[in-house]
């Protein structure tokens, strides 16, 4: 039996991405997101227009897509309700967002320079994709933009490569951090409480540790 409903959230399960970018003053920004999909060497990123990252991508025309494994769940969760934009919309404030410029420090991650782009890489992430922005398209309804980026250089932890291939990631060895309905999953299981799920007041969310 199927039931016709008005779904409030459509996050059925996508990999978490930590987008590295440069702020207007040259400082490093790091933003978690899970609205990304790939085709060939291209990737589409869905971002809210009020985010600092959206402004950075428009201005700088580049970014780094750092892909955390399930082992980085705590670092990602630490970033969940932080924004580098000092102008925080009222609805975000109600969800618990606060202004924080030092994102790498907040996540306990190490900034590395890009090789072909100015945007920063996150050393702890086993996959780091340097990208250039190709286009930005406003989505229907306003307040959101789809950015098309092209991967110009990929950095992959050597242990994740299929032995002898040189160009292929081992799907068994790679355990991406997945966000599914605002909750963290990895290795087929729910990993830890999510601040984002708490901020969005998601029903059925995992309770915080006591």
């Amino acid at each position: 039996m199927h039931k016709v409903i008005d779904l409030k959230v459509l996050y059925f399960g996508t990999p978490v991405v930590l987008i590295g970018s440069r702020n207007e003053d040259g400082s490093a920004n790091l933003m978690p997101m899970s609205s990304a999909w790939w085709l060939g060497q291209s990737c589409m990123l869905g971002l809210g227009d009020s985010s600092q990252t959206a402004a950075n991508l428009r201005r700088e025309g580049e970014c780094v897509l750092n892909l955390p494994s399930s082992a980085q769940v705590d670092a990602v969760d630490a970033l969940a309700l932080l924004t580098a934009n000092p102008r925080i919309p009222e609805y975000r404030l109600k969800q618990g967002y606060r202004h924080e410029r030092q994102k790498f420090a907040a996540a306990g991650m190490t900034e590395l320079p890009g090789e072909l782009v100015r945007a920063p890489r996150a050393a702890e992430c086993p996959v780091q994709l340097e990208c250039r922005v190709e286009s930005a398209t406003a989505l229907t309804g306003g307040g959101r933009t789809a950015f098309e980026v092209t991967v110009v250089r990929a950095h992959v932890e050597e242990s994740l490569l299929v032995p002898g291939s040189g160009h292929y990631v081992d799907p068994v060895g790679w355990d991406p951090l997945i966000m599914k309905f605002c909750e963290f999953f990895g290795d087929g299981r729910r990993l830890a409480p999510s601040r984002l799920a708490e901020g969005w007041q998601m029903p059925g969310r995992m309770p915080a540790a006591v």
Side-chain angles (χ1 to χ4, degrees), residues 100-113:
E100 174 58 65
R101 202 71 165 179
Q102 304 300 320
K103 295 288 200 70
F104 274 87
M109 288 190 156
T110 307
E111 177 186 348
L112 291 177

Side-chain angles (χ1 to χ4, degrees), residues 169-203:
V169 172
D170 181 358
V172 176
W174 170 229
D175 181 26
L177 180 61
I178 299 293
M179 175 153 281
K180 183 163 54 173
F181 293 107
C182 296
E183 294 284 1
F184 294 119
F185 285 77
D187 194 28
R189 59 188 177 86
R190 208 173 189 181
L191 295 175
S194 164
R195 298 183 192 184
L196 189 64
E198 181 179 355
W200 281 72
Q201 297 183 335
M202 294 294 290

